[in-house]
Amino acid sequence: MLFVMIFLSINYIKISNSNNLNSTTFKRKIDSLERQYKLLDKKFSDQIYFSLDDNQEALGYLNDVDVDSLTSFIRDELYEKNFIKNSDFFIPLSNVNNKYLINKVKILNHKWIIADFSNGSRWGEMWIEYHFNNKKVFFYVKDYFLY
């Protein structure tokens, strides 16, 4: 019986020490994850600052329409510019032999968009202004540059 009590006491001490070590390790891990979460939350907040989705003033200007459907509509209309067959190229650097295509679009607010474009070997970005008239969207390239 004495041996069982000694065994249980020693085993309890080992388990207790192990639990304390695990508790300290978990606490460090939780602290690290909380710091990472705060950093990512700040980065996310910075990223959506210039975004139609989170811009209350722009949404108010648009009369609080469904942002997701509006954003999809604007993007689709802009991506359609990639399929223009005639000589009326949307991206100013495009021509019959060297067509640039819009790759990525970020809608900043109720008036402005930034877009990435390329021809496969050169890349650039452009600033686009847009507005609605009679349920149609009109785009105007305000400025652009190549890398």
Side-chain angles (χ1 to χ4, degrees), residues 47-74:
Q47 289 297 317
I48 65 169
Y49 184 81
F50 287 108
S51 171
L52 180 61
D53 297 331
D54 200 50
N55 187 328
Q56 297 306 312
E57 288 80 13
L59 293 174
Y61 178 84
L62 295 169
N63 297 321
D64 296 317
V65 298
D66 178 29
V67 178
D68 292 334
S69 63
L70 179 66
T71 301
S72 294
F73 174 73
I74 293 169

PDB file of all heavy atoms in Angstrom, residues 47-74:
ATOM      1  N   GLN A  47      -6.779  47.810 -45.355  1.00  0.00           N
ATOM      2  CA  GLN A  47      -7.086  47.393 -46.729  1.00  0.00           C
ATOM      3  C   GLN A  47      -8.492  47.796 -47.148  1.00  0.00           C
ATOM      4  O   GLN A  47      -8.712  48.166 -48.294  1.00  0.00           O
ATOM      5  CB  GLN A  47      -6.926  45.879 -46.878  1.00  0.00           C
ATOM      6  CG  GLN A  47      -5.503  45.415 -46.845  1.00  0.00           C
ATOM      7  CD  GLN A  47      -4.695  45.954 -47.995  1.00  0.00           C
ATOM      8  OE1 GLN A  47      -5.162  45.975 -49.127  1.00  0.00           O
ATOM      9  NE2 GLN A  47      -3.494  46.398 -47.716  1.00  0.00           N
ATOM     10  N   ILE A  48      -9.452  47.698 -46.255  1.00  0.00           N
ATOM     11  CA  ILE A  48     -10.823  48.009 -46.647  1.00  0.00           C
ATOM     12  C   ILE A  48     -11.154  49.482 -46.475  1.00  0.00           C
ATOM     13  O   ILE A  48     -12.253  49.906 -46.819  1.00  0.00           O
ATOM     14  CB  ILE A  48     -11.860  47.146 -45.900  1.00  0.00           C
ATOM     15  CG1 ILE A  48     -11.853  47.427 -44.410  1.00  0.00           C
ATOM     16  CG2 ILE A  48     -11.677  45.684 -46.214  1.00  0.00           C
ATOM     17  CD1 ILE A  48     -13.022  46.811 -43.671  1.00  0.00           C
ATOM     18  N   TYR A  49     -10.206  50.273 -45.980  1.00  0.00           N
ATOM     19  CA  TYR A  49     -10.478  51.696 -45.803  1.00  0.00           C
ATOM     20  C   TYR A  49     -10.872  52.329 -47.133  1.00  0.00           C
ATOM     21  O   TYR A  49     -11.832  53.075 -47.214  1.00  0.00           O
ATOM     22  CB  TYR A  49      -9.264  52.400 -45.197  1.00  0.00           C
ATOM     23  CG  TYR A  49      -9.538  53.854 -44.905  1.00  0.00           C
ATOM     24  CD1 TYR A  49     -10.215  54.214 -43.751  1.00  0.00           C
ATOM     25  CD2 TYR A  49      -9.139  54.855 -45.776  1.00  0.00           C
ATOM     26  CE1 TYR A  49     -10.493  55.540 -43.472  1.00  0.00           C
ATOM     27  CE2 TYR A  49      -9.420  56.181 -45.508  1.00  0.00           C
ATOM     28  CZ  TYR A  49     -10.097  56.519 -44.365  1.00  0.00           C
ATOM     29  OH  TYR A  49     -10.377  57.825 -44.104  1.00  0.00           O
ATOM     30  N   PHE A  50     -10.118  52.056 -48.188  1.00  0.00           N
ATOM     31  CA  PHE A  50     -10.458  52.535 -49.518  1.00  0.00           C
ATOM     32  C   PHE A  50     -11.171  51.414 -50.257  1.00  0.00           C
ATOM     33  O   PHE A  50     -10.605  50.733 -51.094  1.00  0.00           O
ATOM     34  CB  PHE A  50      -9.206  52.977 -50.288  1.00  0.00           C
ATOM     35  CG  PHE A  50      -8.646  54.269 -49.787  1.00  0.00           C
ATOM     36  CD1 PHE A  50      -7.468  54.291 -49.080  1.00  0.00           C
ATOM     37  CD2 PHE A  50      -9.311  55.457 -50.010  1.00  0.00           C
ATOM     38  CE1 PHE A  50      -6.949  55.488 -48.611  1.00  0.00           C
ATOM     39  CE2 PHE A  50      -8.801  56.658 -49.536  1.00  0.00           C
ATOM     40  CZ  PHE A  50      -7.618  56.677 -48.836  1.00  0.00           C
ATOM     41  N   SER A  51     -12.418  51.221 -49.924  1.00  0.00           N
ATOM     42  CA  SER A  51     -13.213  50.172 -50.539  1.00  0.00           C
ATOM     43  C   SER A  51     -14.675  50.586 -50.501  1.00  0.00           C
ATOM     44  O   SER A  51     -15.163  51.079 -49.489  1.00  0.00           O
ATOM     45  CB  SER A  51     -13.018  48.856 -49.773  1.00  0.00           C
ATOM     46  OG  SER A  51     -13.934  47.898 -50.216  1.00  0.00           O
ATOM     47  N   LEU A  52     -15.350  50.382 -51.600  1.00  0.00           N
ATOM     48  CA  LEU A  52     -16.768  50.715 -51.666  1.00  0.00           C
ATOM     49  C   LEU A  52     -17.559  49.948 -50.608  1.00  0.00           C
ATOM     50  O   LEU A  52     -18.500  50.469 -50.025  1.00  0.00           O
ATOM     51  CB  LEU A  52     -17.319  50.408 -53.066  1.00  0.00           C
ATOM     52  CG  LEU A  52     -18.796  50.705 -53.282  1.00  0.00           C
ATOM     53  CD1 LEU A  52     -19.080  52.181 -53.079  1.00  0.00           C
ATOM     54  CD2 LEU A  52     -19.219  50.270 -54.660  1.00  0.00           C
ATOM     55  N   ASP A  53     -17.151  48.727 -50.335  1.00  0.00           N
ATOM     56  CA  ASP A  53     -17.871  47.885 -49.379  1.00  0.00           C
ATOM     57  C   ASP A  53     -17.975  48.501 -47.989  1.00  0.00           C
ATOM     58  O   ASP A  53     -18.943  48.269 -47.273  1.00  0.00           O
ATOM     59  CB  ASP A  53     -17.195  46.516 -49.251  1.00  0.00           C
ATOM     60  CG  ASP A  53     -17.210  45.741 -50.546  1.00  0.00           C
ATOM     61  OD1 ASP A  53     -18.136  45.944 -51.344  1.00  0.00           O
ATOM     62  OD2 ASP A  53     -16.297  44.930 -50.751  1.00  0.00           O
ATOM     63  N   ASP A  54     -16.979  49.277 -47.599  1.00  0.00           N
ATOM     64  CA  ASP A  54     -16.936  49.791 -46.237  1.00  0.00           C
ATOM     65  C   ASP A  54     -16.984  51.317 -46.174  1.00  0.00           C
ATOM     66  O   ASP A  54     -16.754  51.898 -45.134  1.00  0.00           O
ATOM     67  CB  ASP A  54     -15.667  49.281 -45.540  1.00  0.00           C
ATOM     68  CG  ASP A  54     -15.780  49.349 -44.030  1.00  0.00           C
ATOM     69  OD1 ASP A  54     -16.791  48.861 -43.504  1.00  0.00           O
ATOM     70  OD2 ASP A  54     -14.866  49.906 -43.401  1.00  0.00           O
ATOM     71  N   ASN A  55     -17.280  51.972 -47.293  1.00  0.00           N
ATOM     72  CA  ASN A  55     -17.291  53.428 -47.353  1.00  0.00           C
ATOM     73  C   ASN A  55     -18.719  53.929 -47.189  1.00  0.00           C
ATOM     74  O   ASN A  55     -19.503  53.947 -48.133  1.00  0.00           O
ATOM     75  CB  ASN A  55     -16.694  53.882 -48.692  1.00  0.00           C
ATOM     76  CG  ASN A  55     -16.512  55.373 -48.764  1.00  0.00           C
ATOM     77  OD1 ASN A  55     -17.269  56.148 -48.190  1.00  0.00           O
ATOM     78  ND2 ASN A  55     -15.501  55.775 -49.512  1.00  0.00           N
ATOM     79  N   GLN A  56     -19.069  54.336 -45.970  1.00  0.00           N
ATOM     80  CA  GLN A  56     -20.442  54.726 -45.668  1.00  0.00           C
ATOM     81  C   GLN A  56     -20.889  55.954 -46.462  1.00  0.00           C
ATOM     82  O   GLN A  56     -22.051  56.034 -46.880  1.00  0.00           O
ATOM     83  CB  GLN A  56     -20.598  54.978 -44.163  1.00  0.00           C
ATOM     84  CG  GLN A  56     -20.357  53.743 -43.318  1.00  0.00           C
ATOM     85  CD  GLN A  56     -21.222  52.564 -43.739  1.00  0.00           C
ATOM     86  OE1 GLN A  56     -22.422  52.702 -43.922  1.00  0.00           O
ATOM     87  NE2 GLN A  56     -20.611  51.411 -43.912  1.00  0.00           N
ATOM     88  N   GLU A  57     -19.989  56.895 -46.686  1.00  0.00           N
ATOM     89  CA  GLU A  57     -20.358  58.084 -47.454  1.00  0.00           C
ATOM     90  C   GLU A  57     -20.680  57.724 -48.899  1.00  0.00           C
ATOM     91  O   GLU A  57     -21.660  58.203 -49.474  1.00  0.00           O
ATOM     92  CB  GLU A  57     -19.231  59.130 -47.408  1.00  0.00           C
ATOM     93  CG  GLU A  57     -19.080  59.803 -46.061  1.00  0.00           C
ATOM     94  CD  GLU A  57     -18.323  58.969 -45.050  1.00  0.00           C
ATOM     95  OE1 GLU A  57     -17.685  57.964 -45.427  1.00  0.00           O
ATOM     96  OE2 GLU A  57     -18.382  59.315 -43.853  1.00  0.00           O
ATOM     97  N   ALA A  58     -19.861  56.860 -49.497  1.00  0.00           N
ATOM     98  CA  ALA A  58     -20.110  56.435 -50.882  1.00  0.00           C
ATOM     99  C   ALA A  58     -21.393  55.626 -50.977  1.00  0.00           C
ATOM    100  O   ALA A  58     -22.173  55.792 -51.919  1.00  0.00           O
ATOM    101  CB  ALA A  58     -18.927  55.616 -51.406  1.00  0.00           C
ATOM    102  N   LEU A  59     -21.639  54.771 -50.005  1.00  0.00           N
ATOM    103  CA  LEU A  59     -22.870  53.979 -50.008  1.00  0.00           C
ATOM    104  C   LEU A  59     -24.091  54.875 -49.860  1.00  0.00           C
ATOM    105  O   LEU A  59     -25.131  54.641 -50.487  1.00  0.00           O
ATOM    106  CB  LEU A  59     -22.830  52.927 -48.903  1.00  0.00           C
ATOM    107  CG  LEU A  59     -21.791  51.829 -49.075  1.00  0.00           C
ATOM    108  CD1 LEU A  59     -21.749  50.940 -47.844  1.00  0.00           C
ATOM    109  CD2 LEU A  59     -22.062  51.015 -50.313  1.00  0.00           C
ATOM    110  N   GLY A  60     -23.967  55.916 -49.058  1.00  0.00           N
ATOM    111  CA  GLY A  60     -25.055  56.872 -48.916  1.00  0.00           C
ATOM    112  C   GLY A  60     -25.327  57.591 -50.227  1.00  0.00           C
ATOM    113  O   GLY A  60     -26.481  57.832 -50.598  1.00  0.00           O
ATOM    114  N   TYR A  61     -24.251  57.926 -50.941  1.00  0.00           N
ATOM    115  CA  TYR A  61     -24.401  58.575 -52.248  1.00  0.00           C
ATOM    116  C   TYR A  61     -25.132  57.654 -53.226  1.00  0.00           C
ATOM    117  O   TYR A  61     -25.912  58.106 -54.056  1.00  0.00           O
ATOM    118  CB  TYR A  61     -23.014  58.940 -52.799  1.00  0.00           C
ATOM    119  CG  TYR A  61     -23.047  59.568 -54.160  1.00  0.00           C
ATOM    120  CD1 TYR A  61     -23.269  60.939 -54.301  1.00  0.00           C
ATOM    121  CD2 TYR A  61     -22.857  58.808 -55.306  1.00  0.00           C
ATOM    122  CE1 TYR A  61     -23.297  61.516 -55.552  1.00  0.00           C
ATOM    123  CE2 TYR A  61     -22.893  59.383 -56.560  1.00  0.00           C
ATOM    124  CZ  TYR A  61     -23.118  60.737 -56.679  1.00  0.00           C
ATOM    125  OH  TYR A  61     -23.151  61.319 -57.921  1.00  0.00           O
ATOM    126  N   LEU A  62     -24.872  56.377 -53.124  1.00  0.00           N
ATOM    127  CA  LEU A  62     -25.509  55.395 -54.015  1.00  0.00           C
ATOM    128  C   LEU A  62     -26.867  54.941 -53.489  1.00  0.00           C
ATOM    129  O   LEU A  62     -27.415  53.944 -53.958  1.00  0.00           O
ATOM    130  CB  LEU A  62     -24.586  54.184 -54.195  1.00  0.00           C
ATOM    131  CG  LEU A  62     -23.278  54.478 -54.911  1.00  0.00           C
ATOM    132  CD1 LEU A  62     -22.336  53.298 -54.799  1.00  0.00           C
ATOM    133  CD2 LEU A  62     -23.526  54.835 -56.362  1.00  0.00           C
ATOM    134  N   ASN A  63     -27.391  55.640 -52.497  1.00  0.00           N
ATOM    135  CA  ASN A  63     -28.699  55.339 -51.919  1.00  0.00           C
ATOM    136  C   ASN A  63     -28.774  53.933 -51.328  1.00  0.00           C
ATOM    137  O   ASN A  63     -29.780  53.246 -51.470  1.00  0.00           O
ATOM    138  CB  ASN A  63     -29.809  55.546 -52.939  1.00  0.00           C
ATOM    139  CG  ASN A  63     -29.888  56.984 -53.385  1.00  0.00           C
ATOM    140  OD1 ASN A  63     -29.717  57.894 -52.583  1.00  0.00           O
ATOM    141  ND2 ASN A  63     -30.123  57.197 -54.664  1.00  0.00           N
ATOM    142  N   ASP A  64     -27.692  53.513 -50.701  1.00  0.00           N
ATOM    143  CA  ASP A  64     -27.657  52.235 -49.992  1.00  0.00           C
ATOM    144  C   ASP A  64     -28.139  51.054 -50.831  1.00  0.00           C
ATOM    145  O   ASP A  64     -28.922  50.217 -50.391  1.00  0.00           O
ATOM    146  CB  ASP A  64     -28.465  52.326 -48.691  1.00  0.00           C
ATOM    147  CG  ASP A  64     -27.845  53.326 -47.727  1.00  0.00           C
ATOM    148  OD1 ASP A  64     -26.606  53.305 -47.600  1.00  0.00           O
ATOM    149  OD2 ASP A  64     -28.586  54.107 -47.122  1.00  0.00           O
ATOM    150  N   VAL A  65     -27.671  50.984 -52.068  1.00  0.00           N
ATOM    151  CA  VAL A  65     -28.002  49.842 -52.925  1.00  0.00           C
ATOM    152  C   VAL A  65     -27.270  48.604 -52.427  1.00  0.00           C
ATOM    153  O   VAL A  65     -26.373  48.695 -51.590  1.00  0.00           O
ATOM    154  CB  VAL A  65     -27.628  50.108 -54.410  1.00  0.00           C
ATOM    155  CG1 VAL A  65     -28.400  51.275 -54.958  1.00  0.00           C
ATOM    156  CG2 VAL A  65     -26.143  50.315 -54.558  1.00  0.00           C
ATOM    157  N   ASP A  66     -27.625  47.444 -52.959  1.00  0.00           N
ATOM    158  CA  ASP A  66     -26.939  46.206 -52.608  1.00  0.00           C
ATOM    159  C   ASP A  66     -25.506  46.263 -53.155  1.00  0.00           C
ATOM    160  O   ASP A  66     -25.297  46.218 -54.364  1.00  0.00           O
ATOM    161  CB  ASP A  66     -27.689  45.008 -53.189  1.00  0.00           C
ATOM    162  CG  ASP A  66     -26.996  43.702 -52.891  1.00  0.00           C
ATOM    163  OD1 ASP A  66     -26.307  43.600 -51.858  1.00  0.00           O
ATOM    164  OD2 ASP A  66     -27.144  42.771 -53.701  1.00  0.00           O
ATOM    165  N   VAL A  67     -24.559  46.397 -52.256  1.00  0.00           N
ATOM    166  CA  VAL A  67     -23.162  46.613 -52.644  1.00  0.00           C
ATOM    167  C   VAL A  67     -22.600  45.447 -53.446  1.00  0.00           C
ATOM    168  O   VAL A  67     -21.897  45.646 -54.437  1.00  0.00           O
ATOM    169  CB  VAL A  67     -22.280  46.869 -51.399  1.00  0.00           C
ATOM    170  CG1 VAL A  67     -20.828  47.041 -51.776  1.00  0.00           C
ATOM    171  CG2 VAL A  67     -22.771  48.074 -50.643  1.00  0.00           C
ATOM    172  N   ASP A  68     -22.913  44.221 -53.039  1.00  0.00           N
ATOM    173  CA  ASP A  68     -22.357  43.060 -53.736  1.00  0.00           C
ATOM    174  C   ASP A  68     -22.817  43.002 -55.186  1.00  0.00           C
ATOM    175  O   ASP A  68     -22.014  42.771 -56.089  1.00  0.00           O
ATOM    176  CB  ASP A  68     -22.736  41.764 -53.012  1.00  0.00           C
ATOM    177  CG  ASP A  68     -22.052  41.640 -51.664  1.00  0.00           C
ATOM    178  OD1 ASP A  68     -20.959  42.229 -51.493  1.00  0.00           O
ATOM    179  OD2 ASP A  68     -22.598  40.967 -50.781  1.00  0.00           O
ATOM    180  N   SER A  69     -24.090  43.223 -55.432  1.00  0.00           N
ATOM    181  CA  SER A  69     -24.579  43.168 -56.817  1.00  0.00           C
ATOM    182  C   SER A  69     -24.054  44.356 -57.613  1.00  0.00           C
ATOM    183  O   SER A  69     -23.714  44.210 -58.789  1.00  0.00           O
ATOM    184  CB  SER A  69     -26.104  43.091 -56.869  1.00  0.00           C
ATOM    185  OG  SER A  69     -26.678  44.244 -56.319  1.00  0.00           O
ATOM    186  N   LEU A  70     -23.961  45.531 -56.986  1.00  0.00           N
ATOM    187  CA  LEU A  70     -23.421  46.695 -57.684  1.00  0.00           C
ATOM    188  C   LEU A  70     -21.954  46.478 -58.041  1.00  0.00           C
ATOM    189  O   LEU A  70     -21.530  46.743 -59.167  1.00  0.00           O
ATOM    190  CB  LEU A  70     -23.574  47.947 -56.817  1.00  0.00           C
ATOM    191  CG  LEU A  70     -23.014  49.223 -57.430  1.00  0.00           C
ATOM    192  CD1 LEU A  70     -23.813  49.625 -58.660  1.00  0.00           C
ATOM    193  CD2 LEU A  70     -22.996  50.341 -56.405  1.00  0.00           C
ATOM    194  N   THR A  71     -21.188  45.976 -57.090  1.00  0.00           N
ATOM    195  CA  THR A  71     -19.772  45.709 -57.327  1.00  0.00           C
ATOM    196  C   THR A  71     -19.599  44.679 -58.440  1.00  0.00           C
ATOM    197  O   THR A  71     -18.766  44.864 -59.337  1.00  0.00           O
ATOM    198  CB  THR A  71     -19.096  45.218 -56.030  1.00  0.00           C
ATOM    199  OG1 THR A  71     -19.246  46.211 -55.026  1.00  0.00           O
ATOM    200  CG2 THR A  71     -17.631  44.934 -56.239  1.00  0.00           C
ATOM    201  N   SER A  72     -20.376  43.626 -58.409  1.00  0.00           N
ATOM    202  CA  SER A  72     -20.306  42.609 -59.464  1.00  0.00           C
ATOM    203  C   SER A  72     -20.656  43.201 -60.822  1.00  0.00           C
ATOM    204  O   SER A  72     -19.995  42.917 -61.827  1.00  0.00           O
ATOM    205  CB  SER A  72     -21.249  41.449 -59.164  1.00  0.00           C
ATOM    206  OG  SER A  72     -20.826  40.765 -58.025  1.00  0.00           O
ATOM    207  N   PHE A  73     -21.695  44.027 -60.856  1.00  0.00           N
ATOM    208  CA  PHE A  73     -22.103  44.654 -62.104  1.00  0.00           C
ATOM    209  C   PHE A  73     -20.987  45.541 -62.669  1.00  0.00           C
ATOM    210  O   PHE A  73     -20.649  45.452 -63.856  1.00  0.00           O
ATOM    211  CB  PHE A  73     -23.376  45.482 -61.889  1.00  0.00           C
ATOM    212  CG  PHE A  73     -23.788  46.282 -63.076  1.00  0.00           C
ATOM    213  CD1 PHE A  73     -24.333  45.657 -64.192  1.00  0.00           C
ATOM    214  CD2 PHE A  73     -23.624  47.659 -63.097  1.00  0.00           C
ATOM    215  CE1 PHE A  73     -24.710  46.389 -65.309  1.00  0.00           C
ATOM    216  CE2 PHE A  73     -23.998  48.404 -64.198  1.00  0.00           C
ATOM    217  CZ  PHE A  73     -24.544  47.768 -65.307  1.00  0.00           C
ATOM    218  N   ILE A  74     -20.396  46.389 -61.823  1.00  0.00           N
ATOM    219  CA  ILE A  74     -19.325  47.287 -62.272  1.00  0.00           C
ATOM    220  C   ILE A  74     -18.137  46.479 -62.769  1.00  0.00           C
ATOM    221  O   ILE A  74     -17.578  46.764 -63.830  1.00  0.00           O
ATOM    222  CB  ILE A  74     -18.919  48.249 -61.138  1.00  0.00           C
ATOM    223  CG1 ILE A  74     -20.062  49.218 -60.834  1.00  0.00           C
ATOM    224  CG2 ILE A  74     -17.648  49.008 -61.507  1.00  0.00           C
ATOM    225  CD1 ILE A  74     -19.858  50.038 -59.569  1.00  0.00           C
TER     226      ILE A  74
END
